[in-house]
Amino acid sequence: MNYLDSLYWIHERDKFGIKPGTKRMEWMLQRLGNPENRINGIHVGGTNGKGSTVAYLRSALVENGYDVGTFTSPYIETFNERISLNGEPVSNDVIVELVSRVKPVSEALEAETEYGTATEFEIITTMMFLYFGEIRPVDFVVIEAGLGIKNDSTNVFAPIMSIITSIGLDHTDLLGSSYLDIAKDKGDIIKHHVPFVYAVKNEEALKYFREYAEKQDAPAFELDRDISIVSEEDEFIYRFKDYELENIALNMLGEHQKENAALAITALIILFEQGQIELDFNKMINAIEKVSWTGRIEKVKEEPLMIIDGAHNNESVDALIDTIKKYYDKEKVDILFSAVSGKPISHMLEELKTISDHIYVTDFDFHRAKPKEEIAADAETFETILVDNYVDFIENYQGDALIITGSLYFISEVKAKVNFNS
């Protein structure tokens, strides 16, 4: 199989949808010799903020001289970025090699067990564990969870550090409809005696995490209790134990990014105190300050101003709005919105309306993308404008400022199809 054949085979698994549970993962990994047991893994879960937290951790560790693998989803610009080494996507040849190893195991799973066919996400996750656990060992692997934790494909290894970035009401059909339900699912990231760093606002979820961490004898470090940040316009002060780090100025905008950076810094300090890493604090902060993350409040054009952001649920929309109000001198902006089914679209659009002159809605080439007519119908209290060809719309946009948002999958397609230099 060549690279395109390999990608086709992987993406073909997508038709099997989402299958909660780890039995297929465990079976395939055992057949491959359990490579997941040979990594030093940091597990990052949460409703929002996982990707940027992974990026902060990776950047700081690489700057301190470590080889770091990362696993993230979804991809924005190239499929290979999901499995990256020191911030660089693996090569096409690596993807081909991994598929050649994993495909026979997947076929054996289907033929020899009652577990059924492995999903696309399970295949990619297995490839990642095989790569970093056997083919290209690294010092650390920072692994972003997919959907939830308890039944997520990534929840099959013993981490050296666990992080929850946030709790929000997303994927409620699978994770539960309350903050407590979702906390119980994501709380499975807390492992016996493994340090746990988290940022949670909801009191019910907070109570659950505190009690479950105590039950697991997991040292727990909570934002706004054990960790504090003091915002000073574009900078912030970080405080934890006897550590105080001043004048931290992130490249990534938004108060939520300060919180994500604080979680990453705390995790690194704990690993430093445990003797698991050597840490030059200046290198750590310099690396974290330089991080950028594609598709997260990313300015892709100056004139007219265009920003893309994969705000795909209520919490991430709120963060987008807060950042636009704080960092961009615009009374109102235009919004181009598209989303996948199952999202709280009505509430997302109502919130976006507070900063917009016009909300344009479109759809894109993805099997779970919601038709633009249905998105427009969800805007119950105001009128939206339908866009048939979003590429032409963006490339010929004549307004003052355009925010392109609604789904990371949409953002990925926009990045691939639109020429922002036109």
Side-chain angles (χ1 to χ4, degrees), residues 336-390:
L336 177 64
F337 182 91
S338 194
V340 298
S341 298
K343 295 293 183 177
I345 290 173
S346 178
H347 183 271
M348 294 165 70
L349 291 174
E350 287 287 348
E351 292 301 306
L352 288 168
K353 183 62 178 171
T354 64
I355 62 166
S356 67
D357 274 329
H358 307 98
I359 293 186
Y360 299 87
V361 297
T362 190
D363 39 31
F364 61 107
D365 186 19
F366 184 61
H367 69 283
R368 289 197 287 119
K370 191 162 185 170
K372 57 183 175 294
E373 294 82 5
E374 294 182 18
I375 294 175
D378 283 338
E380 299 170 354
T381 64
F382 58 90
E383 185 177 351
T384 58
I385 305 166
L386 299 184
V387 172
D388 292 325
N389 187 325
Y390 71 80

Coordinates of all heavy atoms in Angstrom, one line a residue, residues 336-390:
L336 N -19.0 33.6 9.7 CA -19.3 32.5 8.8 C -19.3 31.3 9.7 O -18.2 30.9 10.2 CB -18.3 32.5 7.7 CG -18.5 31.3 6.7 CD1 -19.9 31.4 6.0 CD2 -17.4 31.2 5.7
F337 N -20.4 30.6 9.7 CA -20.6 29.5 10.7 C -21.0 28.2 10.0 O -21.9 28.2 9.1 CB -21.7 29.9 11.7 CG -21.9 28.9 12.8 CD1 -21.3 29.0 14.0 CD2 -22.9 27.9 12.6 CE1 -21.5 28.1 15.0 CE2 -23.2 27.0 13.6 CZ -22.5 27.1 14.8
S338 N -20.4 27.1 10.4 CA -20.9 25.8 10.0 C -20.5 24.8 11.1 O -19.5 25.0 11.9 CB -20.2 25.3 8.7 OG -20.9 24.2 8.2
A339 N -21.3 23.8 11.3 CA -21.1 22.9 12.4 C -21.6 21.5 12.0 O -22.2 21.2 11.0 CB -22.0 23.4 13.6
V340 N -21.2 20.5 12.9 CA -21.7 19.2 12.8 C -22.9 18.9 13.6 O -23.3 19.7 14.5 CB -20.6 18.2 13.2 CG1 -19.3 18.3 12.3 CG2 -20.2 18.3 14.7
S341 N -23.6 17.9 13.3 CA -24.9 17.6 14.0 C -24.6 17.2 15.4 O -23.5 16.8 15.8 CB -25.6 16.4 13.3 OG -26.0 16.7 12.0
G342 N -25.6 17.5 16.3 CA -25.4 17.1 17.7 C -24.9 18.2 18.6 O -24.7 18.0 19.8
K343 N -24.6 19.4 18.0 CA -24.0 20.5 18.8 C -25.2 21.5 19.2 O -26.2 21.5 18.5 CB -23.0 21.3 17.9 CG -21.8 20.5 17.6 CD -21.0 20.2 18.9 CE -19.7 19.4 18.5 NZ -18.9 19.2 19.7
P344 N -25.0 22.2 20.3 CA -26.0 23.2 20.7 C -26.0 24.4 19.9 O -25.7 25.5 20.3 CB -25.6 23.5 22.2 CG -24.1 23.4 22.1 CD -23.8 22.2 21.2
I345 N -26.4 24.3 18.6 CA -26.2 25.3 17.6 C -27.1 26.6 17.9 O -26.6 27.7 17.8 CB -26.6 24.8 16.2 CG1 -25.5 23.8 15.8 CG2 -26.8 25.9 15.2 CD1 -25.8 23.0 14.5
S346 N -28.3 26.4 18.4 CA -29.1 27.5 18.7 C -28.4 28.5 19.7 O -28.4 29.7 19.5 CB -30.5 27.1 19.3 OG -31.3 28.2 19.6
H347 N -27.9 27.9 20.8 CA -27.2 28.7 21.8 C -26.0 29.3 21.3 O -25.6 30.5 21.5 CB -26.9 27.8 23.1 CG -26.3 28.6 24.2 ND1 -24.9 28.8 24.3 CD2 -26.9 29.3 25.2 CE1 -24.7 29.5 25.4 NE2 -25.8 29.9 25.9
M348 N -25.2 28.5 20.5 CA -24.0 29.1 19.9 C -24.2 30.3 19.0 O -23.5 31.3 19.1 CB -23.3 28.0 19.1 CG -22.7 26.8 20.0 SD -22.3 25.3 19.0 CE -20.8 25.9 18.2
L349 N -25.3 30.2 18.2 CA -25.6 31.3 17.3 C -26.1 32.5 18.1 O -25.8 33.7 17.8 CB -26.6 30.9 16.3 CG -26.2 29.8 15.2 CD1 -27.3 29.4 14.4 CD2 -25.1 30.4 14.3
E350 N -26.9 32.3 19.1 CA -27.4 33.4 19.9 C -26.3 34.1 20.6 O -26.3 35.4 20.6 CB -28.3 32.8 21.0 CG -29.7 32.4 20.5 CD -30.6 33.6 20.2 OE1 -30.3 34.7 20.5 OE2 -31.7 33.3 19.5
E351 N -25.2 33.4 21.0 CA -24.1 34.1 21.6 C -23.3 34.8 20.6 O -22.8 36.0 20.8 CB -23.2 33.0 22.4 CG -23.8 32.4 23.6 CD -24.2 33.5 24.6 OE1 -23.3 34.3 25.0 OE2 -25.4 33.5 25.0
L352 N -23.1 34.2 19.4 CA -22.3 34.9 18.4 C -23.0 36.1 17.9 O -22.3 37.1 17.4 CB -22.0 33.9 17.2 CG -21.0 32.8 17.5 CD1 -21.1 31.7 16.4 CD2 -19.6 33.3 17.7
K353 N -24.3 36.1 17.9 CA -25.0 37.3 17.5 C -24.7 38.5 18.3 O -24.8 39.7 17.8 CB -26.5 37.0 17.6 CG -27.5 38.1 17.1 CD -27.3 38.4 15.6 CE -28.2 39.5 15.1 NZ -27.9 39.9 13.8
T354 N -24.2 38.4 19.5 CA -23.9 39.5 20.4 C -22.7 40.3 19.8 O -22.5 41.5 20.2 CB -23.6 39.1 21.8 OG1 -22.4 38.2 21.8 CG2 -24.8 38.3 22.4
I355 N -21.9 39.7 19.0 CA -20.7 40.4 18.4 C -20.8 40.6 16.9 O -19.8 41.1 16.3 CB -19.4 39.7 18.8 CG1 -19.3 38.3 18.2 CG2 -19.2 39.7 20.3 CD1 -17.9 37.7 18.2
S356 N -21.9 40.2 16.3 CA -21.9 40.2 14.8 C -22.9 41.1 14.2 O -24.0 41.4 14.8 CB -22.2 38.7 14.4 OG -23.5 38.4 14.7
D357 N -22.6 41.6 13.0 CA -23.5 42.3 12.2 C -24.4 41.4 11.4 O -25.6 41.5 11.3 CB -22.8 43.3 11.2 CG -22.4 44.6 11.9 OD1 -23.2 45.1 12.7 OD2 -21.4 45.2 11.5
H358 N -23.7 40.4 10.8 CA -24.4 39.4 10.0 C -23.8 38.0 10.4 O -22.6 37.8 10.5 CB -24.1 39.6 8.5 CG -24.5 41.0 8.1 ND1 -23.5 42.0 7.9 CD2 -25.7 41.6 7.8 CE1 -24.1 43.1 7.5 NE2 -25.4 42.9 7.4
I359 N -24.7 37.0 10.4 CA -24.3 35.6 10.6 C -24.6 34.9 9.3 O -25.8 34.8 8.9 CB -24.9 34.9 11.8 CG1 -24.4 35.6 13.1 CG2 -24.6 33.4 11.8 CD1 -24.8 34.9 14.3
Y360 N -23.5 34.5 8.6 CA -23.7 33.7 7.4 C -23.5 32.2 7.8 O -22.6 31.8 8.6 CB -22.6 34.0 6.4 CG -22.7 35.5 6.0 CD1 -22.0 36.5 6.7 CD2 -23.4 35.9 4.8 CE1 -22.0 37.8 6.3 CE2 -23.4 37.2 4.4 CZ -22.7 38.2 5.1 OH -22.8 39.5 4.7
V361 N -24.3 31.3 7.2 CA -24.2 29.9 7.6 C -24.0 29.1 6.3 O -24.5 29.5 5.2 CB -25.4 29.3 8.3 CG1 -25.6 30.0 9.7 CG2 -26.7 29.5 7.5
T362 N -23.2 28.1 6.4 CA -22.9 27.3 5.2 C -22.7 25.8 5.6 O -22.9 25.5 6.8 CB -21.6 27.8 4.5 OG1 -21.4 27.1 3.3 CG2 -20.4 27.5 5.4
D363 N -22.4 24.9 4.7 CA -22.1 23.6 5.1 C -20.9 23.1 4.3 O -20.4 23.8 3.5 CB -23.3 22.6 4.8 CG -24.1 22.9 3.5 OD1 -23.4 23.4 2.6 OD2 -25.3 22.7 3.4
F364 N -20.4 21.9 4.7 CA -19.1 21.5 4.1 C -19.1 20.0 3.9 O -20.0 19.3 4.3 CB -17.9 22.0 5.0 CG -18.0 21.4 6.4 CD1 -17.1 20.4 6.8 CD2 -18.9 21.9 7.4 CE1 -17.1 19.9 8.1 CE2 -18.9 21.4 8.7 CZ -18.0 20.4 9.0
D365 N -18.0 19.5 3.3 CA -18.0 18.1 2.9 C -17.5 17.2 4.0 O -16.3 16.8 4.1 CB -17.1 18.0 1.6 CG -17.1 16.6 1.0 OD1 -18.1 15.9 1.3 OD2 -16.2 16.3 0.3
F366 N -18.4 16.9 4.8 CA -18.1 16.0 6.0 C -19.4 15.2 6.3 O -20.5 15.9 6.4 CB -17.6 16.8 7.2 CG -17.2 15.9 8.4 CD1 -16.2 15.0 8.2 CD2 -17.8 16.1 9.6 CE1 -15.8 14.3 9.3 CE2 -17.4 15.4 10.7 CZ -16.4 14.4 10.6
H367 N -19.3 13.9 6.6 CA -20.5 13.1 6.7 C -21.4 13.6 7.9 O -22.6 13.3 7.8 CB -20.2 11.6 6.8 CG -19.5 11.3 8.1 ND1 -18.2 11.5 8.3 CD2 -20.0 10.6 9.2 CE1 -17.9 11.1 9.5 NE2 -19.0 10.5 10.1
R368 N -20.8 14.2 8.9 CA -21.7 14.6 10.0 C -22.0 16.1 10.0 O -22.6 16.7 10.9 CB -21.0 14.3 11.3 CG -21.0 12.8 11.6 CD -20.7 12.5 13.1 NE -19.3 12.8 13.4 CZ -18.8 13.6 14.3 NH1 -19.7 14.4 15.0 NH2 -17.6 13.8 14.6
A369 N -21.6 16.8 8.9 CA -21.9 18.2 8.7 C -23.4 18.5 8.7 O -24.1 17.7 8.0 CB -21.2 18.8 7.5
K370 N -23.9 19.5 9.4 CA -25.3 19.8 9.4 C -25.6 20.7 8.2 O -24.9 21.7 7.9 CB -25.7 20.5 10.7 CG -27.2 20.6 10.9 CD -27.5 20.9 12.4 CE -29.0 20.9 12.6 NZ -29.3 21.0 14.0
P371 N -26.7 20.3 7.4 CA -27.1 21.2 6.3 C -27.3 22.6 6.7 O -27.9 22.9 7.8 CB -28.4 20.5 5.8 CG -28.2 19.1 6.2 CD -27.5 19.1 7.5
K372 N -26.9 23.6 5.9 CA -27.0 25.0 6.2 C -28.5 25.4 6.5 O -28.7 26.3 7.3 CB -26.4 25.8 5.2 CG -26.9 25.7 3.8 CD -26.2 26.6 2.8 CE -26.6 26.4 1.3 NZ -26.3 25.0 0.8
E373 N -29.4 24.8 5.8 CA -30.8 25.1 6.0 C -31.3 24.8 7.4 O -32.0 25.5 8.1 CB -31.7 24.4 5.0 CG -31.5 24.9 3.6 CD -30.3 24.2 2.9 OE1 -29.7 23.3 3.5 OE2 -30.0 24.6 1.7
E374 N -30.7 23.6 7.9 CA -31.1 23.2 9.3 C -30.4 24.1 10.4 O -31.0 24.4 11.4 CB -30.7 21.8 9.5 CG -31.5 20.8 8.7 CD -31.2 19.3 8.9 OE1 -30.6 19.1 10.0 OE2 -31.5 18.5 8.1
I375 N -29.2 24.5 10.0 CA -28.5 25.5 10.9 C -29.3 26.8 11.0 O -29.5 27.3 12.1 CB -27.0 25.7 10.4 CG1 -26.2 24.5 10.5 CG2 -26.4 26.9 11.3 CD1 -24.8 24.6 10.0
A376 N -29.7 27.3 9.8 CA -30.5 28.5 9.8 C -31.7 28.4 10.6 O -32.2 29.3 11.3 CB -30.8 28.9 8.4
A377 N -32.4 27.2 10.5 CA -33.6 27.0 11.3 C -33.4 27.0 12.8 O -34.3 27.4 13.6 CB -34.3 25.7 10.9
D378 N -32.2 26.7 13.2 CA -31.9 26.8 14.7 C -31.7 28.2 15.2 O -31.7 28.4 16.4 CB -30.6 26.0 14.9 CG -30.8 24.5 14.9 OD1 -32.0 24.1 15.1 OD2 -29.9 23.7 14.7
A379 N -31.5 29.1 14.3 CA -31.4 30.5 14.7 C -32.9 31.1 14.8 O -33.4 31.7 13.9 CB -30.7 31.3 13.7
E380 N -33.4 30.8 16.0 CA -34.9 31.1 16.2 C -35.3 32.5 16.2 O -36.4 32.9 15.9 CB -35.3 30.3 17.4 CG -35.1 28.8 17.3 CD -35.4 28.1 18.6 OE1 -35.6 28.8 19.6 OE2 -35.3 26.9 18.7
T381 N -34.4 33.4 16.8 CA -34.8 34.8 17.0 C -34.2 35.8 16.1 O -34.4 37.0 16.3 CB -34.4 35.1 18.5 OG1 -32.9 35.1 18.6 CG2 -35.0 34.2 19.5
F382 N -33.5 35.3 15.1 CA -32.9 36.3 14.1 C -32.7 35.6 12.8 O -32.7 34.3 12.7 CB -31.6 36.9 14.6 CG -30.5 35.9 15.0 CD1 -29.6 35.5 14.0 CD2 -30.4 35.3 16.2 CE1 -28.6 34.6 14.3 CE2 -29.5 34.4 16.5 CZ -28.5 34.0 15.5
E383 N -32.4 36.4 11.8 CA -32.3 35.8 10.4 C -30.8 35.6 10.1 O -29.9 36.5 10.4 CB -32.9 36.8 9.4 CG -32.9 36.2 8.0 CD -33.6 37.1 7.0 OE1 -34.2 38.1 7.5 OE2 -33.5 36.9 5.8
T384 N -30.5 34.5 9.5 CA -29.1 34.2 9.0 C -29.1 34.3 7.5 O -30.2 34.3 6.9 CB -28.6 32.8 9.5 OG1 -29.5 31.8 9.0 CG2 -28.6 32.8 11.0
I385 N -28.0 34.3 6.9 CA -27.8 34.4 5.5 C -27.1 33.1 5.0 O -26.0 32.8 5.4 CB -27.0 35.6 5.1 CG1 -27.6 36.9 5.7 CG2 -26.9 35.7 3.5 CD1 -26.7 38.1 5.6
L386 N -27.7 32.4 4.0 CA -27.2 31.2 3.5 C -26.1 31.4 2.5 O -26.2 32.3 1.6 CB -28.3 30.3 2.9 CG -29.5 29.9 3.8 CD1 -30.4 29.0 3.0 CD2 -29.0 29.2 5.0
V387 N -25.0 30.7 2.6 CA -23.9 30.7 1.7 C -23.7 29.4 1.0 O -23.4 28.4 1.7 CB -22.6 31.2 2.4 CG1 -21.4 31.1 1.5 CG2 -22.7 32.6 3.0
D388 N -23.9 29.3 -0.3 CA -23.7 28.1 -1.0 C -22.3 27.7 -1.2 O -21.9 26.5 -1.0 CB -24.5 28.2 -2.4 CG -26.0 28.3 -2.2 OD1 -26.5 27.7 -1.3 OD2 -26.6 29.0 -3.0
N389 N -21.5 28.6 -1.6 CA -20.1 28.4 -1.9 C -19.2 29.2 -0.9 O -18.9 30.4 -1.2 CB -19.7 28.7 -3.3 CG -18.3 28.3 -3.8 OD1 -17.4 28.4 -3.0 ND2 -18.2 27.9 -5.0
Y390 N -18.8 28.6 0.1 CA -18.1 29.4 1.2 C -16.7 29.8 0.7 O -16.1 30.8 1.2 CB -18.0 28.7 2.5 CG -17.1 27.5 2.5 CD1 -15.7 27.6 2.7 CD2 -17.6 26.2 2.4 CE1 -14.9 26.5 2.7 CE2 -16.8 25.1 2.5 CZ -15.4 25.2 2.6 OH -14.6 24.1 2.6

